[in-house]
Amino acid sequence: MTEHPVSREIQDFLTRHPDITAVDVLLPDLCGVFRGKRVPVDELGKVMTDGVALPGCTFAVDITGETIEETGMSIERGVPDQTCMPVPGTLAPVPWAARPLGQMMLTMRSPDGSPYPLAPRSLVERLVGELADRGLTPVIAVELEFYLLAGGRGSDEPPRPPVSPRSGLPQDRTQVYGLAELEDFEAVLDDITAMARAQGIPAGTAIAEYGPGQYEITLHHVADALKATDDAVLFKRVVKSVAQRHGFEATFMAKPYTDQASSGMHVHMSVLDSDGRNIFAAEAPEGSEALRHCIGGLAETLPASMALAAPGANSWRRFQVGSYAPTVVTWGVNNRTAPLRIPAGPPESRRVEYRIAGADANPYLVVAGLLAGLLHGLDSKADPGPATEGNAYTASAPKLPATWESALELFGQSSVLRRWFGDEFVDVYRITKLAERDKFAAVVTPLEYAWYLRSS
């Protein structure tokens, strides 16, 4: 009798980690924040076969954790549970935990076993399936920027740059690609890479970025868009947890400092055919005709996809001229001022780099937006027009939306995203984020007191 692969995965895991007594089961919500439960290890077999019950309105929750009733997903439906099944191959140790602990990703399912339509991970799963039906496989790599902050901050206090464990001095200057800045915090950065790899996350090179205490770590490209996005979400958990273990705080907030660089999420994408050949490959630096159609499709969906790439109020502070956060719809070859960039490299490495998203965005939604743009571009044979040379901020090209509200309006109106995401997801996401925007706008800020309290 053949042993069930689920049983084998549990058995192998417990053989390697016999001290683990509990496992965190993790479901990333609409904002990419983990929800879930901690289950005893002796219940793991039942979880693997029967799943975990969590309410479907988990995907109608804003960044504060509040369920948005206007979506009709909660009380109006009786707050029904849905079954969440484990993602095979994601059972892994949590090496930074205070006691032996494991973790495992979940994916929500509809009653018929199909991907739950409101789950961001389900969007990626469905779109990957659409491409697979055409004999195509997207290859994805995610780059994430983040800030290390000084620990011990109160909840209402602004962030402060971290103090170097080596010199005892705060990292208060910009030294992009600086080696000294890497050496100052090499213990925490090395720990992040090691613990990510212990969980099967392909963390690569670390570099110092523009802001004080700002770093970027690239996740290696994989020919599995679901794994690439799982890895990106899990990597954020690694970074925050390991930083805390070293006495720091880490944030993927888009713009934590008014006068310093923002943090972005850049996604590289190429596409393999059924023979494993990159359909974007070509001797010309601008790539193949298929790459041109892909960029055309992405360009057409960029304005509406801004609602996914900039998901919160702080996200919109990134988009300033000259900030490396693009503001116009254009593309370029080896041009970092363009939102869609074809990096330099040998012909077989031709790919597109999407440079709009903030580090605070949900990786599933960012990649889903890319895959939808890819499908649209290939189907319609979209033409992106000529590449932009030089400073794209001054190019005579259509502007990207400048406000959260306008992006959400375009998102709701996009026939392409409605086709590939489904009407229900588009409507629930838009309603949830509009409610979050209204809640944010209703708060009186310290700046208002400073400007208006005595002068008015």
Side-chain angles (χ1 to χ4, degrees):
M1 182 176 179
T2 304
E3 187 174 18
H4 195 284
V6 164
S7 301
R8 168 55 60 187
E9 184 174 0
I10 296 173
Q11 195 173 79
D12 290 347
F13 178 75
L14 294 179
T15 299
R16 295 193 307 272
H17 310 285
D19 295 335
I20 287 178
T21 58
V23 173
D24 287 344
V25 290
L26 309 171
L27 182 72
D29 70 8
L30 195 68
C31 301
V33 176
F34 280 120
R35 312 292 172 183
K37 301 179 180 181
R38 180 166 293 178
V39 299
V41 76
D42 58 7
E43 296 180 15
L44 201 52
K46 185 175 187 301
V47 169
M48 285 287 203
T49 55
D50 299 341
V52 175
L54 288 169
C57 61
T58 299
F59 299 110
V61 169
D62 69 11
I63 195 64
T64 71
E66 180 182 358
T67 302
I68 304 304
E69 295 296 340
E70 293 91 332
T71 61
M73 287 297 300
S74 183
I75 293 174
E76 187 174 316
R77 297 192 183 185
V79 200
D81 279 336
Q82 302 290 337
T83 300
C84 301
M85 296 304 297
V87 176
T90 64
L91 185 56
V94 182
W96 61 82
R99 67 183 179 93
L101 185 67
Q103 73 177 34
M104 180 171 56
M105 290 280 288
L106 298 175
T107 182
M108 188 172 283
R109 295 292 171 189
S110 296
D112 64 358
S114 63
Y116 189 66
L118 295 180
R121 190 179 191 276
S122 293
L123 298 183
V124 179
E125 185 176 359
R126 290 205 312 272
L127 292 169
V128 167
E130 288 282 348
L131 287 161
D133 289 344
R134 303 164 190 231
L136 301 175
T137 301
V139 179
I140 300 290
V142 180
E143 299 172 350
L144 280 163
E145 296 170 342
F146 60 93
Y147 273 92
L148 289 178
L149 311 173
R153 183 183 61 86
S155 60
D156 59 346
E157 294 177 353
R160 303 185 312 277
V163 173
S164 166
R166 187 175 64 163
S167 68
L169 298 173
Q171 194 177 84
D172 56 1
R173 58 180 181 167
T174 296
Q175 289 290 342
V176 63
Y177 301 122
L179 293 178
E181 284 66 31
L182 288 175
E183 292 168 355
D184 278 349
F185 296 92
E186 63 181 350
V188 62
L189 295 172
D190 288 351
D191 225 3
I192 287 170
T193 300
M195 293 195 182
R197 290 178 176 174
Q199 293 193 323
I201 301 170
T205 305
I207 64 170
E209 275 290 349
Y210 280 85
Q214 188 185 33
Y215 296 92
E216 176 187 277
I217 294 181
T218 300
L219 305 182
H220 297 308
H221 66 274
V222 291
D224 183 339
L226 265 178
K227 176 168 171 50
T229 44
D230 287 343
D231 287 342
V233 174
L234 288 168
F235 180 71
K236 289 187 175 186
R237 173 173 156 98
V238 172
V239 171
K240 292 181 178 182
S241 300
V242 173
Q244 187 175 38
R245 182 180 180 181
H246 283 261
F248 302 110
E249 186 179 0
T251 183
F252 292 88
M253 184 178 179
K255 186 77 172 171
Y257 298 111
T258 301
D259 57 349
Q260 297 293 345
S262 61
S263 291
M265 177 197 308
H266 299 162
V267 181
H268 294 249
M269 179 174 70
S270 57
V271 180
L272 305 180
D273 65 16
S274 56
D275 294 320
R277 293 178 297 218
N278 180 8
I279 68 170
F280 294 166
E283 289 293 336
E286 62 269 22
S288 68
E289 192 71 11
L291 178 51
R292 185 176 180 83
H293 293 326
C294 169
I295 290 174
L298 291 174
E300 289 182 22
T301 55
L302 276 185
S305 294
M306 284 283 285
L308 308 173
N314 179 261
S315 311
W316 291 88
R317 302 190 188 282
R318 289 183 62 237
F319 300 103
Q320 302 170 18
V321 172
S323 66
Y324 292 100
T327 58
V328 296
V329 181
T330 186
W331 67 286
V333 177
N334 198 19
N335 185 343
R336 282 186 168 85
T337 65
L340 300 170
R341 169 181 177 250
I342 301 177
E348 63 273 12
S349 74
R350 293 285 180 262
R351 63 192 186 277
V352 60
E353 179 189 10
Y354 175 84
R355 297 178 55 81
I356 287 182
D360 57 339
N362 184 334
Y364 295 111
L365 295 182
V366 172
V367 170
L370 284 175
L371 298 180
L374 166 68
L375 284 160
H376 173 64
L378 294 178
D379 285 352
S380 66
K381 300 191 183 305
D383 183 357
T388 294
E389 297 182 6
N391 185 358
Y393 290 102
T394 60
S396 56
K399 300 289 186 184
L400 287 165
T403 67
W404 195 4
E405 183 176 11
S406 60
L408 288 169
E409 183 177 353
L410 291 172
F411 180 75
Q413 295 171 351
S414 173
S415 59
V416 173
L417 295 184
R418 283 188 176 276
R419 176 190 177 189
W420 294 115
F421 288 6
D423 288 333
E424 187 178 23
F425 179 89
V426 170
D427 291 337
V428 168
Y429 183 85
R430 179 175 173 275
I431 291 168
T432 301
K433 287 300 178 179
L434 283 173
E436 182 181 318
R437 181 211 60 177
D438 291 345
K439 187 161 61 173
F440 181 88
V443 176
V444 179
T445 66
L447 185 61
E448 292 171 76
Y449 294 132
W451 282 16
Y452 304 120
L453 193 64
R454 291 187 178 181
S455 301
S456 300

